[in-house]
Amino acid sequence: MNTSRHTGMGRREFLQLSSIGALATATAGPKLFAGEAAQPQRLAIGFVELEGGALGNAARISSADGAFVRRDAQVSVTGGGTFAAPADRRAVELNAHFPYTVGNERRVAPYHAWSGSRTTGCAGKTVSFRMPVEEHKVSFSVTSQRTSGGSAFTQRLGLSDGPTTESKALPVTLALRSEPGALKLVRGFYVVVPLFAGDREPRWSALEVKQTRGRWAVHTRGEAAATPAEHFLLRVDYATV
């Protein structure tokens, strides 16, 4: 007696489903199940003064600007990069972190400063805002996101419980005092480049920051168009009264 219609799935259907699942794994490879975007391993950060000059490694800034003790910082943020498809974008947003106090407890509120969509390719315009330097530093983080749990195809096969969003944030701290992992806070442009597995640090001397059509951008020297490399650009100055 054939009981397959009563138990839900017969042997033939089970074998077909198993074969399709095995084929999907073999042909699509691990990336199908690992997520849509890689996670950055670290950040490379370059620096050039507001007055211009050669870009260099931000870790080589000789000393912080103590004038920020008496002033807030005016920060402008934009993102850059050229992508063949929206999903090729890997680092999707930059957040600024504002400290505040509740009672005796010190807390930090994230401010979503800039982002780009991995679905539509839309990217935010340059955003400018004021940050307090009351803790002798300003803090940011670069975030990438990926969708895990398999593709729509694997979800239809019942091989996934549905997509979930994972994110990883890498900190960027500009400080007046020495502290682990922090860079020195001065007036200038900070070029933040997310580095993924196998990526090398940019050759800073081959890049420059210049203004084109009223917008600051990172260019390869001698090129009219902005650099296609994925990056964030932070312009830091004294806040105006």
Side-chain angles (χ1 to χ4, degrees):
M1 177 179 176
N2 188 352
T3 61
S4 62
R5 68 180 62 184
H6 302 291
T7 58
M9 181 184 294
R11 182 172 181 272
R12 177 179 297 179
E13 288 81 4
F14 174 80
L15 291 175
Q16 288 176 340
L17 180 60
S18 300
S19 299
I20 293 173
L23 178 63
T25 304
T27 58
K31 289 185 178 180
L32 181 65
F33 300 95
E36 296 178 358
Q39 295 288 319
Q41 306 300 310
R42 60 190 179 93
L43 299 174
I45 304 180
F47 174 81
V48 63
E49 296 179 348
L50 293 179
E51 295 73 20
L55 261 170
N57 193 321
R60 298 175 183 172
I61 300 174
S62 58
S63 60
D65 186 348
F68 276 106
V69 173
R70 303 182 301 275
R71 312 179 185 209
D72 291 340
Q74 190 70 28
V75 180
S76 297
V77 177
T78 190
T82 302
F83 309 96
D88 291 342
R89 181 185 296 278
R90 299 177 294 179
V92 295
E93 66 184 38
L94 187 140
N95 294 301
H97 300 275
F98 287 79
Y100 67 101
T101 302
V102 176
N104 295 324
E105 184 181 358
R106 198 64 171 165
R107 300 180 182 179
V108 175
Y111 166 64
H112 189 84
W114 191 95
S115 66
S117 172
R118 296 187 64 247
T119 302
T120 65
C122 293
K125 297 181 179 180
T126 300
V127 176
S128 185
F129 50 92
R130 187 169 182 152
M131 294 190 73
V133 195
E134 58 188 55
E135 292 189 337
H136 299 279
K137 64 183 178 181
V138 290
S139 300
F140 310 88
S141 61
V142 172
T143 303
S144 67
Q145 292 181 341
R146 66 178 183 177
T147 301
S148 62
S151 68
F153 174 67
T154 59
Q155 291 169 35
R156 287 197 301 270
L157 292 177
L159 301 177
S160 169
D161 292 329
T164 57
T165 299
E166 300 176 359
S167 63
K168 179 179 181 179
L170 295 176
V172 179
T173 302
L174 310 178
L176 298 177
R177 299 172 178 172
S178 296
E179 60 177 89
L183 300 169
K184 295 179 175 64
L185 173 60
V186 295
R187 298 170 64 244
F189 293 96
Y190 293 84
V191 181
V192 181
V193 179
L195 297 180
F196 298 78
D199 287 350
R200 295 182 179 180
E201 185 159 334
R203 188 162 61 91
W204 297 116
S205 60
L207 302 174
E208 62 181 341
V209 176
K210 63 181 182 180
Q211 197 171 31
T212 304
R213 298 179 181 177
R215 176 176 176 175
W216 292 101
V218 181
H219 292 249
T220 302
R221 287 191 177 277
E223 299 290 337
T227 177
E230 192 170 0
H231 67 276
F232 297 93
L233 179 62
L234 281 68
R235 184 182 188 275
V236 181
D237 199 357
Y238 303 135
T240 56
V241 178

